[in-house]
Amino acid sequence: QVQLVESGGGFVQPGGSLRLSCVASGRSMRDYAMAWFRRAPGKEREFVAANRRSGDATYYADSVKGRFTFSRDNAKNTVYLQLDTLKPDDTAVYYCAAKRGLILSSVRFGERYDYWGQGTQVTVSS
């Protein structure tokens, strides 16, 4: 079984930055696709970023491309999401997700992932 725990959320002004972390336990995440999703108040869950495995390309939603950066540290079994130039529309609960052996065409679809964290709140407001 895999457990995912996110942290790093908080309150930030527009234009600010945050770094989210997702620590995995139970299995090595080396061969797992890892992703970040978010859910804003009153909206459906939205894909943010995903990476199938170390060395593979990372995919981003158009709304965050150029502002958010995904990274992973296999030694620490941790993935990160650097959030820069934050906007009020980025306000949401951010979730980490994992799936072993995910095919490329499925990385943007939350229903394909087996494991989820509890989420961390990001609030962007002046």
Side-chain angles (χ1 to χ4, degrees), residues 107-119:
V107 296
R108 297 174 182 266
F109 300 101
E111 59 268 27
R112 301 290 193 265
Y113 289 82
D114 293 329
Y115 304 104
W116 291 84
Q118 82 290 346

Side-chain angles (χ1 to χ4, degrees), residues 14-36:
S17 297
L18 286 172
R19 189 194 195 202
L20 308 184
S21 299
C22 171
V23 180
S25 60
R27 300 265 178 89
S28 169
M29 293 292 102
R30 188 176 300 275
D31 296 321
Y32 278 69
M34 302 295 296
W36 289 93

Side-chain angles (χ1 to χ4, degrees), residues 4-20:
L4 304 175
V5 178
E6 304 96 333
S7 63
F11 184 97
V12 63
Q13 293 186 337
S17 297
L18 286 172
R19 189 194 195 202
L20 308 184

